[in-house]
Structure formats: C-alpha cells, structure tokens
Amino acid sequence: MPQMNWERLISKKRFDTQTQAHATDESVRGEFQRDYDRLVFSTPFRRLQNKTQVMPMPESDFVHNRLTHSLETSCVGRSLGRMVGKVLLERHPGILEAHPGMLESDFGDMVAAACLTHDIGNPPFGHSGEDAISSFFRSPEAAGFLQSLTPAQTADLQNFEGNAAGFRILTHTHPGQSTGTCGMRLTYSTLATFTKYPRPSDQVVKGSKRASEKKYGFFQAEQAHFSKIAQELGMLPAGEHAFHRHPLAFLVEAADDICYRIIDFEDGCRLGLIPFEQARELLHPLLNERPGKVHSTTFHDWREQLGVWRAVIINNLIYECAGIFLEHEAEILDGTFDQSLINLVQQKEALDAIKKISIDRIYRNRPVLEIEAAGFEVLGGLLEAFLKAVFDPTTGRHRKYLDLVPDQFLGPQRQISPDTYEKILNITDFISGLTDSSAIGLYRKIKGIELPRMY
C-alpha cells in the first residue's frame, strides 16, 4: 500500500517560488516561524478581531472573537506539534537526513501557523455567514449571474465554504494588488497543514464518516494550486482532484476542536447562559482527577475556578490527542485513518454533552439567532447590489456601487475581469472579507438607512 513519508511531507520551499530558505540562521528563526509571523502581520488576520466566534458583536470584552480564538488555537496547535514532532524525529531518522537541523519546534511552528489561519476565510456572522452566501447564490436573484458557469463553479458558490475562501486568501493575489500570483508565499507544508478538506466542492461526500470528505478546501479557481502542493509533498490521491490529508492537518483540527469545545463553553458560563453548577458537573469528568485528591487552593470566585479547570482540561486533551495521533501514525500516512482525533478521547461522552449544551444554550441563544438572521439580509443584499454593479456598470446606481468596490477586487485601472466566474468570485471575496460591523455599516449606507458622516 502506498504511503506518505515525512521526508517529503516537510518542505520549506515557498509556494509557487523557487525559494528554498532564507540566508539567515534558521536556528534563530525558521521558515515555519516566518510563516507564523507573516500571518500575524497580515490584514486578513487582523480583520478576525471583528468577526463572530460565539456571540456576534459581544458587549463583554472577555467573550472571544475569531482573532482571540485563532491565537488560542495556535497555542494549542504548537504544543500538539512539538509533542508529536519530538517522537517523529526519534521514529524517523530520515527526517534529519533530508532536513538537517530540523527540530521539534519546527513541527510546532508549522501547526501553529496553520491554526492561526484556520478561520481566516470565514465571512461575517460566523458559520451563519457561509449559509447566507450559499443561500443567496441558490436564490432566483442570483440565477442570471450563474448561467454560464460550470456545475463545479456553481457548487463553489452555492455551497460557500470558509475553508476554501481561506485557501484563496493564502494562495491568490488579486491583479489589482500587484503582479504577484501566489498570495502570502507561505511554505508548501504550512499550506497543506492548513487544508483540512483537500478536495474541490464537487467531490464532497454528503454523510461521509471520513472527516476530510465532509467539506471542501479550495475553489475551482485554486484547484491547480492545491494539486501542485499535493504533488510537491507526495500527498496520496483520494479521487479526482482530491487527496488524503497532510498528517499534521489532524493536529490543526484537534486544536480547533479542543478550543471551541471548552472555551466557547466557558464563554457561555461567563455570559450567564449556563449555570456554574451545571458547568461543574459537565466539566468534572474531563479533569481526570484521582479519587480522594486534596486541593491546596480554595477558590472564592467561580470564574477563577472555571479558568483553572479550563487550563487543566485543555492540557489533558493536548496530551491525549497527541498520543492518539502517534498511535495511528501509520494509518494516517497510508490514508486509512480519517477521523477527528477528539472523537477517540476517553471522555468523548463528556465532551459530547458539553457540545450539546453549547448548541442549545449558546449557539441557539435568541440574540445570536436574531443577528445571524439579519446577516442573511445583509450579506444577500450586499452580494446582489455589487454583483449587479460589475455585470452592468453603466447604470447610474450600479456605477455608484462600483465606485465603492476596493481596487484590488477589480484589477489594474479598475478593469473588471471579463471571466464571469472570476468576476463573481472577486465580489464574493470582497463581501466575505468584511468584518461583522463593516458589513452592517456598508449595507445600511447603500440602502439609505444611515448616511455616512461628512468631514
């Protein structure tokens, strides 16, 4: 049976370039750490500070947004990567032969960088924003725009996926930005580690029990990009233009699962949506305390106690998920293992109970549902207005809308792309890249609900 190998899966070469490494001392700052730093300073990452994680536009400073969630996920991912990397370097001497000086910290940096960007393509209003964009492109209002598209291109839009939008951000440069063609120029390995669903939209398997088949990870526009990455790293094919995951993508998924399961739940408690007494019962099995353990600390504030429990539980889950990955390494490398690591932890039943209560009390909380419902109107309205502008730029109102589209999404000298699919995708990039508040503000202004201030 064919198998992926670590010597090839690790590549410091930067996407779509011939750059293998910088001339500086990598023991001080390696290529994967450069990926991480480059992402932190990027504009799309900065926008995550105003995108929904748990509560849309929260009034509480404590409640997480996409940026704080991504930072915390990257910390968990770094720990997972280092733990796994330490063992892999011992198991596979060929890694050091192929990559002299490779350290366990390099694995940590690779996973941390991918975790940092795991939500970078999410539109406003969280996962509801993905549904809103998909819903618009399935509506009669969008039918005229899609007539000349292929079925696969239509599937990209009617099943809009934040993961694919993220891959596009990382690997695509709009003509209106520069003559570059490869996005942020990250390493091949970081890009593959980021991609939890290495398949196009027409290769999604509905109802599949295999984790990587449930969604898609790149649009038709970037299909050739991912094929190039997969070929460079020796990733195993899993269908037409589809591949088995890069092994480290399982760690990215685990880091995200650990953080949103535990920290979203903590947010719900602090917001008063889940009583502390109930939270205590649900969290206690995950502490893995030995019977009769005596605690030296007495807590006078339940929030402080909750924070300590969160730290202990996340630490326990990191060690357990790293162990599960290493136990199944051979199956991961040959593509026969394809499930979330979190589903194999000993206390899965307790985690499932937390997930259920989070869905019922937090994600379906009335204010959340009301704002998400408004998001359908906002994103659908913006897409319709700006798509009409690029398809019919001569009409007076449409011309005004077109003037509001940033240069990068139109091209040099603001020349609209003649390709219908690219034209639609560019406007979708513009709208999905907005923050929650900027999307609402733009919608209110173009609808005349609110006029901009004149300075």
Side-chain angles (χ1 to χ4, degrees):
M1 178 180 292
Q3 192 176 61
M4 293 178 276
N5 68 80
W6 289 107
E7 291 84 350
R8 192 170 172 188
L9 286 166
I10 298 166
S11 173
K12 296 178 181 179
K13 188 163 75 173
R14 299 199 166 272
F15 175 65
D16 215 20
T17 73
Q18 297 304 311
T19 306
Q20 184 68 24
H22 288 76
T24 53
D25 184 357
E26 273 204 80
S27 66
V28 176
R29 184 167 176 255
E31 292 300 310
F32 304 123
Q33 187 177 346
R34 290 178 187 276
D35 284 346
Y36 186 94
D37 296 348
R38 186 171 293 188
L39 292 162
V40 166
F41 285 93
S42 70
T43 299
F45 180 73
R46 188 185 308 171
R47 289 197 185 104
L48 294 177
Q49 67 183 305
N50 191 221
K51 289 197 175 186
T52 297
Q53 171 61 21
V54 179
M55 186 69 67
M57 294 173 290
E59 295 181 6
S60 169
D61 290 338
F62 179 83
V63 175
H64 291 75
N65 53 43
R66 287 283 172 185
L67 187 141
T68 48
H69 167 70
S70 297
L71 287 169
E72 290 172 343
T73 301
S74 75
C75 292
V76 172
R78 180 184 293 113
S79 296
L80 284 166
R82 287 189 174 193
M83 289 179 186
V84 165
K86 184 177 186 297
V87 176
L88 293 179
L89 288 171
E90 295 169 354
R91 284 184 181 177
H92 304 281
I95 296 176
L96 283 175
E97 293 174 11
H99 306 280
M102 187 82 179
L103 302 169
E104 62 194 60
S105 60
D106 290 315
F107 287 89
D109 290 340
M110 207 185 313
V111 178
C115 286
L116 202 65
T117 61
H118 80 281
D119 278 344
I120 205 166
N122 277 30
F125 312 112
H127 291 297
S128 176
E130 293 176 306
D131 294 338
I133 294 172
S134 301
S135 179
F136 169 76
F137 283 112
R138 292 174 189 157
S139 70
E141 290 78 12
F145 303 129
L146 308 180
Q147 288 178 348
S148 63
L149 270 55
T150 67
Q153 290 171 337
T154 301
D156 284 353
L157 300 164
Q158 293 186 338
N159 302 283
F160 182 82
E161 177 57 57
N163 288 284
F167 186 77
R168 181 168 168 84
I169 288 170
L170 299 180
T171 60
H172 176 74
T173 300
H174 288 279
Q177 291 176 300
S178 74
T179 57
T181 59
C182 51
M184 295 190 191
R185 293 179 64 247
L186 302 180
T187 60
Y188 278 83
S189 290
T190 293
L191 289 169
T193 300
F194 161 83
T195 310
K196 294 187 292 184
Y197 309 102
R199 60 186 51 242
S201 59
D202 59 349
Q203 291 292 307
V204 172
V205 182
K206 298 292 185 182
S208 174
K209 294 183 179 180
R210 295 178 66 85
S212 69
E213 295 180 347
K214 297 177 180 179
K215 298 181 181 181
Y216 68 97
F218 46 85
F219 297 127
Q220 293 296 309
E222 284 74 50
Q223 184 169 280
H225 286 350
F226 193 83
S227 293
K228 186 172 185 178
I229 291 168
Q231 183 177 5
E232 171 74 19
L233 302 178
M235 295 169 64
L236 296 178
E240 188 177 5
H241 307 298
F243 298 87
H244 291 286
R245 281 179 175 175
H246 188 289
L248 297 183
F250 287 96
L251 300 184
V252 174
E253 181 179 58
D256 184 30
D257 286 340
I258 290 169
C259 286
Y260 91 78
R261 293 278 184 98
I262 304 303
I263 300 175
D264 285 7
F265 182 76
E266 181 187 7
D267 279 356
C269 293
R270 289 177 178 264
L271 288 168
L273 303 176
I274 301 169
F276 175 68
E277 293 73 18
Q278 185 177 17
R280 179 170 52 199
E281 292 180 11
L282 290 166
L283 292 173
H284 193 266
L286 294 166
L287 293 170
N288 296 339
E289 292 185 334
R290 64 180 185 275
K293 180 179 179 180
V294 179
H295 293 276
S296 59
T297 302
T298 299
F299 293 98
H300 304 296
D301 184 342
W302 65 266
R303 297 170 188 81
E304 182 68 15
Q305 186 170 19
L306 192 62
V308 171
W309 285 354
R310 174 243 301 150
V312 171
I313 291 169
I314 288 177
N315 183 65
N316 291 343
L317 290 173
I318 287 172
Y319 274 93
E320 191 168 1
C321 285
I324 293 168
F325 178 94
L326 292 167
E327 179 185 350
H328 294 279
E329 184 208 351
E331 302 155 70
I332 290 171
L333 289 172
D334 65 26
T336 56
F337 181 94
D338 194 356
Q339 59 179 306
S340 301
L341 301 178
I342 201 80
N343 288 337
L344 297 179
V345 300
Q346 292 182 351
Q347 299 295 345
K348 181 180 182 298
E349 186 176 336
L351 282 173
D352 287 345
I354 287 173
K355 182 178 180 180
K356 183 180 185 304
I357 200 76
S358 295
I359 291 171
D360 293 340
R361 300 281 183 84
I362 304 172
Y363 307 133
R364 291 179 182 165
N365 186 42
R366 185 173 181 84
V368 173
L369 295 176
E370 288 174 345
I371 294 176
E372 288 181 345
F376 272 75
E377 188 71 24
V378 170
L379 295 182
L382 290 174
L383 283 167
E384 183 176 11
F386 287 102
L387 283 171
K388 285 181 177 177
V390 295
F391 276 88
D392 182 16
T394 59
T395 302
R397 175 187 289 187
H398 298 170
R399 190 166 61 248
K400 294 297 182 185
Y401 288 160
L402 193 63
D403 289 342
L404 295 174
V405 179
D407 293 347
Q408 72 183 80
F409 301 107
L410 294 179
Q413 290 80 49
R414 297 182 64 82
Q415 295 174 352
I416 301 171
S417 171
D419 181 83
T420 300
Y421 172 63
E422 192 69 24
K423 190 185 301 183
I424 296 173
L425 209 52
N426 286 344
I427 291 300
T428 307
D429 290 345
F430 167 44
I431 302 303
S432 68
L434 295 171
T435 63
D436 292 11
S437 59
S438 62
I440 291 173
L442 181 58
Y443 178 80
R444 290 171 65 87
K445 289 180 176 68
I446 69 170
K447 294 296 182 181
I449 301 170
E450 174 185 312
L451 295 178
R453 295 178 181 179
M454 303 299 291
Y455 295 99

